[in-house]
Amino acid sequence: MKKTTILIFFVIGSILLAGCVNVGNQQENKKIVLKIFHAGSLSVPFEEYSKMFEKEHPNIVVEREPAGSVTCVRKIIDLHENADVLAVADYSLIPKMMMPKYADWYIMFARNEIVLAYTNKSKYHSEINEKNWYKILERKDVKIGFSNPNDDPCGYRAQMVLKLADLYYNQPIYETLVLNNSNIHVENKNNSYIIVVPKDLKVNTNKIIMRSKETDLLAPLEAGACDYLFIYKSVAEQHHLNYVTLPKEINLGYYQYSNIYSKVKVYLESTNKSIEGKPIVYGITVPKNAQHKKEGIEFVKFILEHPEILEKNGQPPMNVAVGNVPEELRNLVKIENG
């Protein structure tokens, strides 16, 4: 009887011990999920960064959620979703929409410019060039594409580029292409043009193809449903698209033309925000509600330490920071007053 009792206790003890070991192994094997909200135009370099980061940090799984930059911010401030890293295609969205409640620092980490992308399926692709591009777009059978300005910086930047084209060429390009084919309107105040984008934006789909973010327009472009697309140069290069380089005075890519870019503003009724035309600069931060702040900062540090990834993807790197920059990043950036 005693032997039987001892045997029973031995079996029970072995089971409990095995259970403890199994739980311990599960905890040891459980990985941190690093959640990143980022602009669609950062998808290619961030995929590469994520794979490299995971390789160096085997305890971390990077989960990326690409979307229009405004949408990324809204998921944090309106829907109260948690992100460990936020990277947007317009750095000013962070100070305007997130600081000080949801963020207290950001880094301007890359640049870009707007180009007019097309494929060999695009109508009149053999004719278009840097001098006649807007005349080609004005043809009745040509469809143009841009992302929704309410959701995506590339969308409101496309509006800026087209309005700046009015001034540069002294032609009613914006009226012909956009105002006559949407419920957007323009106000002129002291030689500054304000493009007013309604919350419920409507476009003539016979002329304009619009999606939430710019990368969603790649499929219709490549299928021939859209002829020409206003998009970042980096995205055009990453997807091996043909493109027309637009004049420096209108493509939002050069600091020396900041004064010209600032003549145009976009007012978004959806957010009650006014955005001034300026050079395209990406911003990145670790939101205050991040669940894994330490790892989020480590990911940002990883990006700053590997600028070659951005460079080869057509997004020249920067390292200018504003705000309460984490100590781990201070020796990698130039800190400026916000």
Side-chain angles (χ1 to χ4, degrees), residues 116-131:
L116 184 64
Y118 64 96
T119 71
N120 291 336
K121 294 181 180 179
S122 302
K123 295 183 182 71
Y124 313 111
H125 69 270
S126 61
E127 297 180 35
I128 198 164
N129 57 48
E130 295 178 11
K131 294 182 178 180

Side-chain angles (χ1 to χ4, degrees), residues 227-240:
D227 296 300
Y228 297 93
L229 171 61
F230 288 94
I231 200 164
Y232 297 117
K233 181 179 179 180
S234 62
V235 177
E237 291 189 349
Q238 291 161 13
H239 291 270
H240 310 292

Side-chain angles (χ1 to χ4, degrees), residues 178-179 181-185 196-203:
V178 179
L179 299 186
N181 293 288
S182 73
N183 57 347
I184 293 174
H185 67 275
V196 181
V197 179
K199 183 177 181 179
D200 183 19
L201 177 55
K202 297 177 181 179
V203 299

Side-chain angles (χ1 to χ4, degrees), residues 26 47 52 63 67 72 92 117 127 143 154 160 163 172 199 201 212 217-218 230 235 244 268 270 273 311 314-315 324:
Q26 286 180 348
E47 180 179 7
M52 293 170 62
E63 184 179 284
C72 289
S92 70
E127 297 180 35
K143 287 189 177 183
C154 193
M160 294 173 178
K163 186 57 191 174
K199 183 177 181 179
L201 177 55
S212 179
L217 287 157
L218 294 174
F230 288 94
V235 177
V244 175
L268 302 175
S270 60
K273 299 286 185 182
E311 189 71 57
Q315 293 155 308
N324 186 26

